[in-house]
Amino acid sequence: NAGVTQTPKFRVLKTGQSMTLLCAQDMNHEYMYWYRQDPGMGLRLIHYSVGEGTTAKGEVPDGYNVSRLKKQNFLLGLESAAPSQTSVYFCASSYGGTGINSNQPQHFGDGTRLSIL
Amino acid sequence: AQSVTQPDIHITVSEGASLELRCNYSYGATPYLFWYVQSPGQGLQLLLKYFSGDTLVQGIKGFEAEFKRSQSSFNLRKPSVHWSDAAEYFCAVGARAGNMLTFGGGTRLMVKP
């Protein structure tokens, strides 16, 4: 029962390098999210998706891009990494819907710890 | 815009003592409220949620939370803390559109033997 799986778990990059973080969920969830976690700031939403082929900006989208080509996968890309992007990145997913089906709890992966030198 | 404040960054309690973690929110409509717990090196696990109805909600691991609209609060409580409860706790408020969450800064709980 995998739930939400993030790869890789750790990565060190040099400034200016690019990379992609992969998130996969096996719960058939419509909605997926990428957050970053920094000390004392909780989790901040980077981008999210309400369905296959759709993406939207969250609170802190600058410097990141995302794609949702398949329902079960949500990719987060850093085109030119900067030290300010050193953080722990979490992916989450949830059921979609409206009304009584809205605001279903989000399920989180275990995170990717990213350091940019 | 919605926001969540957790006034206590760190709390230390003795094992067996009671616990209350504070959460204040700002939201323009009826809020959807959540408490999550994060153990070291792990993702976030849902403890409990409030959508509507009874303002006292029960969660997993013996936790409960009370929604007080007049105080814009959703404090988390546990009558007797166990050493395994040491973790970081996050309060969050949910938006209707896109099911987005806004998190507080977290409270790190330490438990003394």
Side-chain angles (χ1 to χ4, degrees):
Chain A
N1 192 8
V4 178
T5 303
Q6 293 182 232
T7 53
K9 295 190 184 305
F10 304 94
R11 186 72 184 268
V12 178
L13 292 178
K14 294 181 179 178
T15 297
Q17 287 185 315
S18 63
M19 80 161 295
T20 301
L21 281 64
L22 173 63
C23 176
Q25 53 94 5
D26 62 2
M27 297 172 282
N28 202 34
H29 284 169
E30 286 292 331
Y31 293 179
M32 296 187 74
Y33 315 82
W34 276 107
Y35 294 90
R36 60 177 290 172
Q37 183 180 27
D38 302 292
M41 304 186 74
L43 278 74
R44 292 180 293 168
L45 184 66
I46 304 171
H47 287 280
Y48 67 100
S49 167
V50 299
E52 182 178 322
T54 73
T55 63
K57 294 181 180 179
E59 180 185 356
V60 289
D62 293 342
Y64 304 95
N65 56 75
V66 288
S67 63
R68 183 100 181 267
L69 299 180
K70 294 183 178 180
K71 185 177 184 178
Q72 64 268 33
N73 295 337
F74 194 30
L75 278 62
L76 177 70
L78 286 72
E79 290 186 349
S80 179
S84 61
Q85 294 177 304
T86 293
S87 187
V88 182
Y89 291 85
F90 286 97
C91 177
S93 70
S94 73
Y95 288 109
T98 58
I100 62 172
N101 293 318
S102 66
N103 289 90
Q104 293 301 310
Q106 294 183 15
H107 298 257
F108 285 81
D110 287 340
T112 295
R113 188 173 296 275
L114 183 62
S115 294
I116 299 162
L117 306 178
Chain B
Q2 61 213 50
S3 65
V4 178
T5 301
Q6 294 180 244
D8 305 304
I9 297 174
H10 294 98
I11 283 184
T12 300
V13 300
S14 298
E15 190 168 16
S18 63
L19 171 70
E20 182 169 30
L21 302 182
R22 296 184 290 165
C23 172
N24 294 100
Y25 68 90
S26 173
Y27 189 66
T30 300
Y32 297 146
L33 296 161
F34 305 81
W35 275 100
Y36 283 85
V37 60
Q38 183 183 31
S39 297
Q42 302 294 314
L44 277 71
Q45 180 184 21
L46 180 70
L47 282 177
L48 48 80
K49 62 185 184 288
Y50 171 78
F51 285 175
S52 64
D54 193 348
T55 56
L56 184 64
V57 294
Q58 303 296 321
I60 62 171
K61 304 184 180 186
F63 285 91
E64 67 179 24
E66 186 172 12
F67 170 58
K68 293 185 177 180
R69 184 186 300 274
S70 62
Q71 298 178 18
S72 297
S73 68
F74 188 57
N75 294 350
L76 182 71
R77 300 194 294 250
K78 186 170 185 178
S80 178
V81 170
H82 188 263
W83 64 267
S84 60
D85 293 323
E88 189 155 20
Y89 293 79
F90 293 94
C91 181
V93 61
R96 293 175 183 270
N99 198 21
M100 288 186 289
L101 295 178
T102 298
F103 286 86
T107 298
R108 184 169 296 279
L109 173 66
M110 290 172 280
V111 180
K112 293 190 300 185

